[in-house]
Amino acid sequence: MDILEAIRLRHSTRAFDGRPLTEADHKSIASFIEATAPPFGVHARIELIQADFGDERVKLGTYGSVKGARDFMGLIYGEGPLVQEGSAYWLEQVVLHCTSIGVGSIWLAGFTHSSFAKHVKLAPAETLGYACPVGYEGGQRPLAERIGLWNSKKLHAAKKPFETLFLDAEGQPLTPQAAGDWELPLQMTRIAPSAKNLQPYRVVVTPTACHFLIQPSMGIPSGPGWFSHIDVGIAMCHFEQTCLHQGIAGSFQVLDDAPTVPDRQYVISYVRS
Ligand SMILES: Cc1cc2nc3c(=O)[nH]c(=O)nc-3n(C[C@H](O)[C@H](O)[C@H](O)COP(=O)(O)O)c2cc1C
């Protein structure tokens, strides 16, 4: 499966069938983690945690809730510029690898940190930021879905329109037709996972560069913009991996003279080479 197929197939899995990862799949994920690294030289680790929480009251998912997971990827990161973007980029690469081998996954901000903490040794400046259950889709759907309070499929399909997320050099809505060869990388960006499906990033598109901006955090945990740095890192992964696949040469650079967008904070630009 190539990266485009994996991006198109990926969706958040909230019902796992209770089976632990097979030895082959566990090995494949561990080898992929071993062979890759987060971009921008940031400090991050991904720990594969095998945990059967049994009767322990573990919160898995603040809103959708998750059932039947036995294996988890824990994303641990340090401090410094672009650390959330870089570590999110990397975990999303692993998520897409999981999709490509038939392993379902879901990013979780809402999980009981203390239950996971005993499986992970943190250095002083490290944070266990996100847990990502991995396994085989199936089994009973979480109660919230069965009684109709929640619908994973509908949420997956409810991504913001292309013209909302992507803007031209004047800050006006960009159509797919006007995006030129950036269209496919942008389409693949649009379907990336995002906390609460808020998609808080915007991309200003010019022929030579795509500039990524985010909704700034108001400093309120889980409030507006709280997950922006993680969400944009995931979006950047989908974007650059598609560029690599399409042979669109370029690299991420932080520019001094990037365009501005009202109420958005500049993060980084993908500059064509
Ligand atoms: C950083 C991050 C945190 C998330 N946290 C949760 C969570 O706590 N509970 C949950 O049910 N889904 C969580 N999700 C999954 C999103 O709800 C999901 O990506 C979004 O609804 C889009 O659906 P899709 O992933 O199927 O495309 C999270 C996603 C991201 C990227």
Side-chain angles (χ1 to χ4, degrees):
M1 185 184 295
D2 72 19
I3 192 78
L4 299 188
E5 280 176 79
I7 289 174
R8 287 190 177 113
L9 259 184
R10 185 220 58 85
H11 56 273
S12 292
T13 299
R14 292 190 175 83
F16 295 90
D17 69 3
R19 281 184 297 147
L21 286 175
T22 64
E23 208 181 311
D25 286 342
H26 189 276
K27 222 171 167 176
S28 170
I29 298 167
S31 307
F32 188 88
I33 293 170
E34 186 68 32
T36 50
F40 319 126
V42 304
H43 172 75
R45 292 188 287 126
I46 298 170
E47 293 248 338
L48 264 175
I49 301 162
Q50 287 188 303
D52 186 355
F53 290 108
D55 291 335
E56 192 182 341
R57 281 180 65 82
V58 181
K59 194 171 74 178
L60 291 179
T62 32
Y63 40 100
S65 98
V66 169
K67 274 183 81 86
R70 298 279 295 272
D71 293 88
F72 302 84
M73 301 193 293
L75 177 62
I76 297 137
Y77 49 81
E79 292 169 354
L82 293 174
V83 73
Q84 291 198 53
E85 289 83 351
S87 55
Y89 183 120
W90 186 32
L91 184 59
E92 183 62 9
Q93 273 187 288
V94 184
V95 159
L96 294 172
H97 174 71
C98 290
T99 306
S100 75
I101 60 170
V103 170
S105 62
I106 178 169
W107 277 83
L108 286 186
F111 63 96
T112 313
H113 281 71
S114 53
S115 300
F116 281 84
K118 57 181 174 253
H119 297 275
V120 175
K121 267 210 157 60
L122 293 179
E126 284 185 334
T127 304
L128 171 59
Y130 296 86
C132 188
V134 278
Y136 307 103
E137 200 158 359
Q140 197 179 45
R141 289 181 302 145
L143 180 67
E145 296 222 16
R146 281 182 277 134
I147 62 174
L149 287 177
W150 183 260
N151 188 321
S152 289
K153 278 198 179 126
K154 269 197 187 153
L155 196 67
H156 172 73
K159 299 290 191 303
K160 289 198 164 77
F162 192 97
E163 290 83 351
T164 302
L165 295 173
F166 310 124
L167 308 170
D168 67 15
E170 275 74 51
Q172 295 305 309
L174 181 80
T175 61
Q177 299 73 24
D181 65 350
W182 296 124
E183 184 191 345
L184 192 61
L186 294 171
Q187 294 284 18
M188 297 296 113
T189 302
R190 187 180 157 262
I191 55 176
S194 162
K196 301 179 182 168
N197 219 12
L198 288 175
Q199 300 181 279
Y201 60 85
R202 296 292 177 269
V203 184
V204 175
V205 180
T206 74
T208 52
C210 289
H211 309 279
F212 289 71
L213 300 101
I214 51 170
Q215 178 175 15
S217 166
M218 314 300 276
I220 308 160
S222 297
W226 186 254
F227 299 107
S228 287
H229 292 278
I230 289 289
D231 279 345
V232 76
I234 296 171
M236 286 156 57
C237 168
H238 282 219
F239 182 88
E240 186 175 45
Q241 293 300 315
T242 307
C243 287
L244 286 170
H245 180 271
Q246 296 299 101
I248 304 173
S251 60
F252 277 115
Q253 299 170 26
V254 178
L255 305 179
D256 291 331
D257 57 349
T260 55
V261 172
D263 304 324
R264 301 280 151 172
Q265 175 190 329
Y266 173 66
V267 178
I268 206 164
S269 306
Y270 189 82
V271 182
R272 203 190 280 276
S273 51

